[in-house]
Amino acid sequence: MKVEFLHKNEESKELILFFAGFASQASHFSHLRAQKNVLMAYDYRNFELEFDFSLYEKITLIAFSMGVCVSSKLLKNLNFNAKIAINGTNFGIDEKRGIHPSIFLRTMRKFNLEDFKKALLFEKALFEFRNELALKEELESLYHFCGQDFNENFSWDRVYMSEGDLIFPNNALQNSYANLKPLKEPHFAFFAFDKWEQI
């Protein structure tokens, strides 16, 4: 995976670690301001994460979509000040608590970027994406990674659910979490916020 600072503040010892969703690019989140450091992890064609977290006194995890599943597997031993999930579960791909395996597999085999954009955004924004071949590779990588043992014990302090989500089923989140904060947004819910600290 890749990591990239969305915001860097040398005076702050706090880090927001953001595990993005499938196909995410840094430019998709450019409207969000921050006073803390914000580091984005994305492009899940591999799952190697190299970063020195000891530089920060407080770390908040925000995970979106398939990033919820990925972070719950990779970050078991990291201590967080808070953990926030948006439109995703620890299961990622699951018949009842994630995206149904048959739907994910069909999407992976017949991926169409224009269809994905509409489901992601309701055409709210014009986003740039990597090419379709790279995105198919990322889907295949996620399919194999998230189909392995899930970490049911990785708990979240706050979970948002977009009521208009056309990608991650509402019932998957309802089957996974007791308390949900609803948002009247599409799957990409970040236009509901102006800054990272607001999430």
Side-chain angles (χ1 to χ4, degrees):
M1 78 182 66
K2 297 176 182 175
V3 292
E4 180 176 340
F5 273 102
L6 302 183
H7 296 276
K8 203 163 187 181
N9 181 357
E10 301 291 348
E11 296 179 1
S12 175
K13 291 295 182 184
E14 294 189 50
L15 176 70
I16 294 173
L17 174 59
F18 173 49
F19 265 64
F22 159 72
S24 290
Q25 296 283 92
S27 59
H28 299 177
F29 308 93
S30 59
H31 70 285
L32 291 168
R33 305 187 309 274
Q35 292 180 321
K36 299 173 184 175
N37 299 283
V38 181
L39 181 72
M40 173 178 166
Y42 66 106
D43 191 354
Y44 303 122
R45 283 179 285 182
N46 69 66
F47 299 94
E48 296 169 10
L49 176 63
E50 294 182 10
F51 187 78
D52 186 3
F53 293 105
S54 67
L55 300 172
Y56 300 93
E57 295 171 359
K58 288 184 179 179
I59 304 174
T60 297
L61 174 64
I62 298 175
F64 169 50
S65 192
M66 295 304 290
V68 176
C69 174
V70 174
S71 61
S72 73
K73 289 171 175 284
L74 294 182
L75 305 176
K76 302 176 204 175
N77 302 319
L78 202 58
N79 292 320
F80 293 102
N81 190 48
K83 293 180 286 186
I84 301 160
I86 303 170
N87 293 334
T89 69
N90 292 5
F91 299 84
I93 303 167
D94 185 80
E95 290 185 7
K96 294 183 178 178
R97 292 173 287 186
I99 297 173
H100 196 286
S102 63
I103 293 173
F104 196 98
L105 199 58
R106 186 166 65 247
T107 302
M108 183 177 82
R109 289 173 176 163
K110 299 182 177 180
F111 180 72
N112 181 285
L113 181 55
E114 293 307 312
D115 290 344
F116 174 73
K117 284 182 189 178
K118 289 177 184 175
L120 181 72
L121 296 159
F122 291 169
E123 301 184 55
K124 269 191 176 182
L126 297 173
F127 282 176
E128 291 185 1
F129 291 87
R130 281 167 276 137
N131 64 66
E132 285 199 9
L133 177 59
L135 295 176
K136 284 179 182 178
E137 289 173 352
E138 185 178 1
L139 280 173
E140 289 177 13
S141 181
L142 283 166
Y143 182 76
H144 294 295
F145 184 79
C146 293
Q148 299 170 6
D149 295 337
F150 54 84
N151 185 6
E152 195 169 4
N153 297 320
F154 194 90
S155 60
W156 299 88
D157 301 299
R158 189 181 314 149
V159 181
Y160 289 99
M161 180 184 76
S162 287
E163 293 175 345
D165 199 333
L166 296 179
I167 292 179
F168 218 102
N170 279 183
N171 64 0
L173 275 79
Q174 291 160 349
N175 291 337
S176 302
Y177 306 110
N179 297 307
L180 292 164
K181 293 179 72 70
L183 293 170
K184 294 189 181 301
E185 295 289 328
H187 184 65
F188 186 90
F190 293 86
F191 289 119
F193 309 101
D194 297 316
K195 55 185 179 180
W196 285 99
E197 290 88 350
Q198 199 179 7
I199 300 172

